[in-house]
């Protein structure tokens, strides 16, 4: 199969030296890409800024912002059999980015944000038989929110995990599928979780 994976955070610049982002390290995307390539799949990883090197046998496209990621995914998605969205994409970006560094000024300042495209949701809307897998990271009402996301984004599997999984090597995820099944998995490494997700996709195809 040809498998497309997104990973990492996005950086949404407000001037040349400052950005909005989150603590994602890009490890989940790297492990997913490694697992897919090891199973012999043609693998493309679109990742936001990360310190990890390219995994072997994977075509890696490095991007910065949500808009960049969306552009690359739109290009790659139609040729893919499956897509796994593990990127922690910024929901909003600054409406404008200043060309020069913003100088220190008054005691308060307001930053106006505009909504970013939903990269995975867009794939859900355009999918033609592709298997789609997403992640949900919630602080409250995890199961309800994850199930709702799975429906909205037309996913075949959503992996619910907790905010502690940012950068962690071991997580205890829950798999939710459209048939209403919920499977709480024991703590495992992101490498083990990645192999399970790839096997899930293989079974569905
Ligand atoms: O809506 P929420 O961000 O919580 O959904 C999480 C899932 O959607 C993750 O799989 C994430 O990679 C994906 N996502 C995306 N583009 C966004 C927001 C989320 O691909 N702008």
């Amino acid at each position: 199969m040809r498998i497309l994976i997104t990973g990492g955070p996005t950086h949404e610049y407000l001037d040349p030296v400052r950005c909005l982002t989150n603590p994602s390290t890009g490890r989940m995307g790297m492990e997913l890409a490694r697992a897919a390539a090891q199973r012999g799949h043609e693998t493309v990883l679109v990742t936001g800024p990360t310190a990890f090197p390219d995994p072997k046998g994977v075509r890696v496209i490095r991007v910065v912002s949500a808009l960049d990621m969306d552009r690359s995914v739109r290009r790659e998605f139609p040729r893919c059999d499956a897509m796994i969205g593990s990127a922690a994409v910024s929901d909003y970006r600054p409406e404008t980015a200043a060309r020069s560094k913003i100088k220190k000024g008054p005691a308060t300042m307001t930053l106006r944000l505009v909504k970013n495209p939903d990269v995975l949701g867009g794939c859900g809307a355009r999918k033609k038989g592709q298997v789609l897998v997403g992640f949900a990271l919630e602080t409250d009402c995890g199961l309800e929110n994850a199930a709702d996301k799975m429906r909205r984004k037309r996913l075949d599997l959503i992996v619910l995990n907790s905010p502690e999984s940012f950068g962690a090597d071991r997580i205890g995820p829950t798999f939710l599928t459209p048939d209403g099944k919920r499977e709480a998995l024991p703590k495992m490494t992101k490498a083990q979780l990645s192999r399970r997700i790839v096997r899930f996709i293989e079974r569905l195809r």
Side-chain angles (χ1 to χ4, degrees):
M1 278 187 279
R2 199 194 279 259
I3 304 188
L4 172 64
I5 295 161
T6 68
T10 62
H11 285 184
E12 310 296 330
Y13 277 86
L14 46 127
D15 75 12
V17 293
R18 304 184 180 97
C19 64
L20 299 179
T21 186
N22 60 68
S24 166
T25 61
R27 183 195 288 263
M28 194 66 233
M30 290 290 164
E31 294 293 358
L32 284 164
R34 189 171 292 129
Q38 275 171 358
R39 293 284 296 165
H41 302 295
E42 193 180 327
T43 308
V44 183
L45 170 66
V46 179
T47 181
T50 170
F52 291 106
D54 292 5
K56 236 180 48 207
V58 175
R59 179 153 68 89
V60 181
I61 302 173
R62 292 183 184 259
V63 297
V64 175
S65 66
L67 285 177
D68 298 337
M69 183 172 283
D70 194 53
R71 218 169 288 129
S72 294
V73 167
R74 278 169 181 272
R75 200 171 51 234
E76 300 293 331
F77 181 66
R79 286 180 281 153
C80 286
D81 303 299
M83 137 87 167
I84 311 172
S86 75
V89 185
S90 257
D91 290 329
Y92 292 87
R93 66 177 181 276
E95 187 173 41
T96 55
R99 261 190 239 227
S100 313
K101 183 179 171 187
I102 299 169
K103 292 290 173 211
K104 204 181 313 187
T108 62
M109 69 181 276
T110 304
L111 190 60
R112 209 175 141 84
L113 304 177
V114 293
K115 213 166 189 178
N116 269 330
D118 186 325
V119 180
L120 181 60
C123 293
R126 294 188 297 273
K127 82 171 172 179
K128 291 198 168 71
Q130 285 99 333
V131 175
L132 281 192
V133 178
F135 280 73
L137 188 144
E138 300 292 336
T139 52
D140 307 286
C141 309
L143 290 167
E144 286 95 317
N145 282 319
D148 179 54
K149 239 168 250 187
M150 176 170 57
R151 274 190 298 274
R152 269 190 291 118
K153 303 189 191 212
R154 301 177 65 206
L155 308 180
D156 300 288
L157 168 68
I158 191 156
V159 181
L160 172 63
N161 53 39
S162 67
E164 292 87 67
S165 49
F166 270 137
D169 189 50
R170 284 164 65 78
I171 50 182
T174 301
F175 277 16
L176 286 84
T177 44
D179 57 7
K181 278 205 195 117
R182 295 166 177 192
E183 191 187 355
L185 301 172
K187 273 219 156 168
M188 61 179 77
T189 65
K190 289 185 175 174
Q192 288 168 323
L193 172 60
S194 298
R195 287 194 286 275
R196 274 187 108 112
I197 293 171
V198 172
R199 277 204 303 273
F200 175 94
I201 293 171
E202 289 169 353
R203 275 199 302 274
L204 259 193
R205 289 288 293 196

